Amino acid sequence: MGYISGKWLFFRPKPRQGHAHMSEDSRLPQKIVPVLVPMPAERPYSYAVPEGMDVKPGSIVRVPLGPREVAGIVTSDVTDDISAKKLRPISELFDCPPVDDGMMRFMRWAADYTISPPGMVARMVLRVPAAFDPEPHVPGLRFSGREPERMTGARARVLELAEDGMAWTRTGLAHAAGVSATVIDGLHTAGVFEQVMIPPRPIVAAPDINYAKAVLSSDQAEAADRLVEAVSSKDFSVTLLDGVTGSGKTEVYFEALAKAIEQGKQVLILLPEIALTQQFLDRFHDRFGTKPAEWHSDLAPKTRERVWRQVMEGQVRVVAGARSALFLPFNDLGLIIVDEEHDSAYKQEDRVFYNARDMAVVRGHIGNFPVILASATPSIESQVNAIQGKYTRIRLTGRYAEAAMPNLRAIDMRKSPPRPGGFLSPALVEAVNQTLQRKEQSLLFLNRRGYAPLTLCRVCGHRFQCPCCSSWLVEHRFRGQLVCHQCGHHEPKPDACPSCGTFDHLVACGPGVERIAEEAEKTFPDARIIVLSSDLMGVKRLRLELDAIARGEADIVIGTQLVAKGHNFPNMTLVGVVDADLGLANGDPRAAERTFQLLNQVTGRAGRTGKKSTGLLQTYQPDHPVMRAIVSGDAQAFYDREIEERERSGLPPFGRLGALIISAATRPEAEAHARALRRAAPTSQQINVLGPAEAPLALVRGRHRFRLLIHGTRKADIQGFIRAMLGAGPKERGSIRVQVDIDPQSFL
Ligand code: ADP
Ligand code: ZN
């Protein structure tokens, strides 16, 4: 019987709160609506709408699902032709604005593109159930118009504030008037106030676009003008803000942000490592007089709820967040800025595999607003889009305030080897010593947590491996543990070899940051050394440490890639990369690009405030194109080569890739399923299937893994092809799981 069109209009405008009940009168025709529930369902489920409930596409509702109740989103899909009588009714319409049309279309697009069940995309939007109900109002006091009979100085101060009729909280008013709360209570008893309920305070104040305008250099001003123009046009566009480290990209895009705010739009800034970017938040505060709302996995639950709710209601105008912020229910989004757009942290590889950078562009397209991608080392994809004119490129070629770029050199480790058992070459040690003498800071960078990546027995050769993963256990000496970096499995480091029983013959192979710290402590006994690694401390502690470093409270910083991201250390003039070759080893097609980006970013930490600075790369392959590009500063030559290489091999963005990861409790099951899927592949002129091959990480958390790689031409319909494969192949059953990764970044 379907729903009767136009019937929407006849319902009472104000939804009932709390549980609505099904009409007793079953003769009345009832509406049926599709509701997307946060489950791996391919389609929304149909529910009956109780009489008096006014739902529309985007409404967030509570519905029964099996024995439970879940939150879901009403969609505009066509529902099955079932009688409403057979359907279970919606339990509750939350008192919450509906998800806006742009967001609804974005969700649908994301599900299609990533080949994910739409319900799983809805799940990302509906993560904060407690936010579906409005925040409770708090009791407040408002001047009733009645003057007290007895007046005192304290009372007069209170009345002066309260007389304009604004509502205050009891303590807020006492504090503002500089009186004790008993004064307020006395006035209340005297009938001076009436009790009112007032809305909770916004989580962040509205940004003030004129708070402290930056004085931009002429290059910056020109770049900012062009970005502002893009925002003014209120049209979809993508601008690649391509500026060297320290060129002031942030200051420049803040102007675009200000314009969007002025137009009454909400703005989203995506950052790769938001939990650590205290400095960014402070800079935002310096410019706009308030912080943006933050969104990332380390937020306290209550804060999360409030941010979600206030984004939806529009009190929050600017969010700075991690990739998942793309799925916040903005109702008026008008600009997205993706900072460090090349960063691989934007790729989510869990449940719904997506790249937030690419999704941001799609979100802008759907919402018809501009997107800004900022980077000192843009991804090859964005480079090509700029070359082909799809993105507008704006360059900032010099550092702000004439600060010079660091002087970069490779240290050939074959010619200048470290002392036996050490990892720092004499050339690097000398440079650190000179920096110490100048009372400036050095960073020793090694992108590897822990003490040593491998432990083995010198007697029998036994290697410590994770029982559930095909990876070596990494020694974490500070914690006295051997840890699997795949699954987190950890065990105490034994005194004797578990295989041959020999005592005291276990040796650590290779360096991690903890081992570099040990060497640095011996080599530079008087220096103040800080080790920064995500496993050593929580986010709060990290933020404090980073501040301390910025204030100069360390001479040598030893850190993993988190120090590379978005920090300004004013006194840092030397960056030493302990193992510049590290990222080049694996067989990843993006290895060179990634290494180039990381090395550029890390060395870019040096000399940001104008002091003469140096970056030293310890490498065994000084002639590798990546090292040459970094040292010569000729990024263009590197990019040209990479782009040519990609084009020749038909790799993205000149071709398309998709991956299927098949895992199961046993190896034969995983392999058999992968083979069967391979056989189910349709024939295509434009698309090849490679594999199945056992994944380089063959075992993760006790699951055996195989991979299929789908490689197509640029125009090929990879998604259609994969859908056909999955449709014709065997279904997932038992322990078997198939994950789809469109545009894979990782091949492990
Ligand atoms: P990028 O993001 O391009 O690496 P930043 O935006 O972090 O560069 O700027 C580098 C440094 O220069 C920061 O400390 C920033 O505060 C400073 N800076 C850049 N532009 C200006 C400006 N117009 N006025 C004042 N300081 C600036
Ligand atoms: Zn493991």
Side-chain angles (χ1 to χ4, degrees):
M1 167 105 246
Y3 91 83
I4 300 167
S5 62
K7 188 97 170 58
W8 304 107
L9 301 172
F10 297 112
F11 286 102
R12 282 191 290 275
K14 176 87 186 83
R16 256 190 262 160
Q17 286 213 13
H19 295 255
H21 294 283
M22 256 261 265
S23 161
E24 297 287 299
D25 188 350
S26 52
R27 283 165 308 173
L28 277 176
Q30 270 195 305
K31 248 186 2 177
I32 300 175
V33 291
V35 175
L36 203 49
V37 292
M39 305 260 300
E42 281 308 322
R43 290 156 43 74
Y45 297 150
S46 296
Y47 286 89
V49 182
E51 197 184 334
M53 189 186 277
D54 184 17
V55 297
K56 53 174 173 265
S59 291
I60 301 183
V61 292
R62 191 153 54 84
V63 292
L65 186 72
R68 307 181 292 144
E69 293 210 309
V70 297
I73 307 179
V74 176
T75 72
S76 54
D77 298 77
V78 180
T79 52
D80 293 331
D81 194 19
I82 345 169
S83 154
K85 263 202 267 182
K86 293 205 190 98
L87 291 173
R88 301 171 79 180
I90 293 173
S91 318
E92 179 185 0
L93 168 64
F94 287 104
D95 185 2
C96 177
V99 175
D100 92 334
D101 178 56
M103 189 64 190
M104 294 295 286
R105 283 161 58 207
F106 175 59
M107 285 163 60
R108 184 178 303 251
W109 192 94
D112 268 358
Y113 187 84
T114 60
I115 317 191
S116 307
M120 293 311 277
V121 177
R123 191 173 165 276
M124 299 197 287
V125 178
L126 297 174
R127 271 230 184 114
V128 198
F132 306 154
D133 289 313
E135 291 180 64
H137 286 207
V138 293
L141 301 172
R142 191 167 55 199
F143 183 49
S144 64
R146 201 160 125 200
E147 302 278 344
E149 282 166 15
R150 192 172 58 83
M151 191 59 93
T152 63
R155 286 186 163 193
R157 285 204 297 282
V158 173
L159 284 176
E160 200 176 312
L161 286 170
E163 252 162 4
D164 64 359
M166 294 282 283
W168 291 79
T169 61
R170 172 176 170 269
T171 46
L173 184 52
H175 190 78
V179 302
S180 83
T182 52
V183 175
I184 309 289
D185 294 343
L187 285 168
H188 195 181
T189 318
V192 170
F193 297 119
E194 54 196 16
Q195 182 108 27
V196 290
M197 295 304 279
I198 53 180
R201 252 162 29 103
I203 197 143
V204 283
D208 173 1
I209 59 171
N210 296 316
Y211 183 75
K213 281 195 170 165
V215 182
L216 299 180
S217 71
S218 63
D219 284 1
Q220 287 178 338
E222 196 187 315
D225 284 349
R226 290 177 65 190
L227 288 179
V228 167
E229 210 174 293
V231 175
S232 302
S233 79
K234 296 187 182 178
D235 261 340
F236 168 68
S237 62
V238 185
T239 308
L240 179 61
L241 182 59
D242 177 354
V244 297
T245 55
S247 57
K249 295 185 286 296
T250 318
E251 313 291 334
V252 169
Y253 71 60
F254 274 173
E255 295 317 300
L257 194 152
K259 187 72 197 176
I261 300 283
E262 189 186 273
Q263 290 175 340
K265 293 295 181 188
Q266 288 174 302
V267 180
L268 170 61
I269 309 162
L270 292 177
L271 299 166
E273 199 76 59
I274 175 73
L276 298 174
T277 34
Q278 187 60 41
Q279 265 186 351
F280 175 85
L281 302 175
D282 293 344
R283 277 174 75 179
F284 190 95
H285 191 285
D286 291 346
R287 170 66 183 83
F288 295 106
T290 178
K291 287 195 178 166
E294 283 182 73
W295 184 259
H296 54 78
S297 56
D298 279 308
L299 289 184
K302 196 83 210 141
T303 312
R304 253 178 116 68
E305 283 160 26
R306 299 192 65 203
V307 172
W308 194 96
R309 181 80 197 186
Q310 294 187 9
V311 165
M312 183 160 230
E313 291 182 345
Q315 286 109 302
V316 164
R317 305 313 295 171
V318 182
V319 174
R323 58 187 185 222
S324 60
L326 266 181
F327 294 92
L328 280 170
F330 292 97
N331 270 317
D332 221 350
L333 193 54
L335 174 66
I336 304 180
I337 297 159
V338 186
D339 205 347
E340 309 288 3
E341 67 90 29
H342 62 276
D343 202 291
S344 52
Y346 285 126
K347 183 69 194 277
Q348 164 153 311
E349 288 165 347
D350 176 30
R351 289 207 173 88
V352 178
F353 288 54
Y354 68 91
N355 186 323
R357 190 253 334 270
D358 300 341
M359 290 283 161
V361 171
V362 172
R363 184 74 183 87
H365 190 245
I366 287 175
N368 200 34
F369 58 74
V371 177
I372 298 171
L373 309 179
S375 176
T377 49
S379 62
I380 301 281
E381 281 79 356
S382 297
Q383 293 275 9
V384 172
N385 279 322
I387 292 167
Q388 294 176 344
K390 288 187 199 137
Y391 296 176
T392 307
R393 187 197 301 261
I394 299 180
R395 282 187 209 266
L396 290 169
T397 51
R399 281 189 158 180
Y400 173 68
E402 325 285 274
M405 296 300 287
N407 176 19
L408 301 176
R409 273 185 292 128
I411 297 177
D412 186 340
M413 296 297 274
R414 296 165 306 185
K415 294 190 187 136
S416 176
R419 60 165 185 77
F423 300 92
L424 305 177
S425 68
L428 182 54
V429 170
E430 172 58 23
V432 173
N433 272 325
Q434 286 174 7
T435 311
L436 285 170
Q437 272 166 24
R438 288 197 309 270
K439 302 217 175 318
E440 293 169 354
Q441 286 175 318
S442 306
L443 168 66
L444 297 178
F445 171 81
L446 176 63
N447 205 11
R448 205 188 256 145
R449 293 179 286 132
Y451 183 83
L454 171 67
T455 303
L456 55 78
C457 170
R458 216 191 314 244
V459 176
C460 74
H462 174 79
R463 296 168 168 218
F464 286 79
Q465 195 177 353
C466 175
C468 347
C469 304
S470 42
S471 55
W472 306 123
L473 293 180
V474 179
E475 181 182 354
H476 285 244
R477 194 162 281 191
F478 293 176
R479 287 194 274 157
Q481 298 271 335
L482 298 172
V483 181
C484 171
H485 283 185
Q486 285 307 318
C487 72
H489 164 90
H490 52 93
E491 52 191 66
K493 188 181 169 198
D495 296 326
C497 172
S499 176
C500 70
T502 315
F503 275 87
D504 298 331
H505 275 74
L506 299 179
V507 286
C509 303
V513 277
E514 293 178 12
R515 196 169 192 178
I516 298 304
E518 186 182 86
E519 184 174 349
E521 271 156 22
K522 285 194 196 122
T523 317
F524 315 105
D526 299 327
R528 297 167 300 168
I529 297 175
I530 290 188
V531 186
L532 285 184
S533 174
S534 56
D535 57 304
L536 294 177
M537 49 194 87
V539 167
K540 271 219 182 84
R541 186 58 209 291
L542 270 174
R543 286 185 170 185
L544 292 175
E545 296 278 353
L546 288 164
D547 281 350
I549 296 168
R551 284 196 306 270
E553 291 172 17
D555 303 312
I556 302 176
V557 182
I558 298 169
T560 57
Q561 67 169 340
L562 64 90
V563 291
K565 291 186 187 178
H567 300 288
N568 282 321
F569 303 119
N571 200 33
M572 187 166 281
T573 55
L574 173 66
V575 171
V577 179
V578 174
D579 184 354
D581 308 330
L582 187 60
L584 292 173
N586 58 30
D588 182 331
R590 287 189 176 82
E593 179 191 349
R594 287 261 175 73
T595 304
F596 174 77
Q597 286 158 343
L598 184 60
L599 295 181
N600 195 296
Q601 198 165 20
V602 177
T603 52
R605 295 303 109 199
R608 289 167 77 89
T609 38
K611 292 188 175 135
K612 202 162 152 281
S613 64
T614 310
L616 295 174
L617 313 175
Q618 295 199 142
T619 172
Y620 287 89
Q621 346 175 26
D623 294 326
H624 192 287
V626 170
M627 302 309 151
R628 285 214 191 144
I630 297 278
V631 170
S632 67
D634 191 353
Q636 199 53 50
F638 173 76
Y639 276 117
D640 289 348
R641 236 188 67 114
E642 278 292 303
I643 291 170
E644 198 184 296
E645 181 69 25
R646 294 266 184 105
E647 188 160 21
R648 211 160 36 78
S649 43
L651 286 171
F654 302 99
R656 305 206 51 208
L657 288 178
L660 295 181
I661 302 121
I662 301 100
S663 65
T666 66
R667 191 176 182 281
E669 274 179 291
E671 181 164 21
H673 196 86
R675 290 197 184 288
L677 278 180
R678 168 77 181 82
R679 283 193 299 275
T683 45
S684 163
Q685 297 294 316
Q686 289 153 11
I687 300 175
N688 273 322
V689 182
L690 307 163
E694 185 157 50
L697 274 172
L699 187 67
V700 174
R701 293 170 203 273
R703 300 183 61 82
H704 295 261
R705 303 165 77 241
F706 278 78
R707 298 182 67 102
L708 286 164
L709 189 64
I710 291 94
H711 182 197
T713 59
R714 187 177 178 138
K715 290 269 155 61
D717 176 10
I718 287 262
Q719 280 89 349
F721 185 91
I722 293 177
R723 276 202 192 86
M725 237 171 129
L726 294 172
K731 300 285 153 280
E732 292 174 65
R733 74 197 122 67
S735 71
I736 294 166
R737 262 216 329 268
V738 179
Q739 292 173 306
V740 181
D741 185 359
I742 302 293
D743 308 326
Q745 296 264 334
S746 161
F747 297 84
L748 295 177

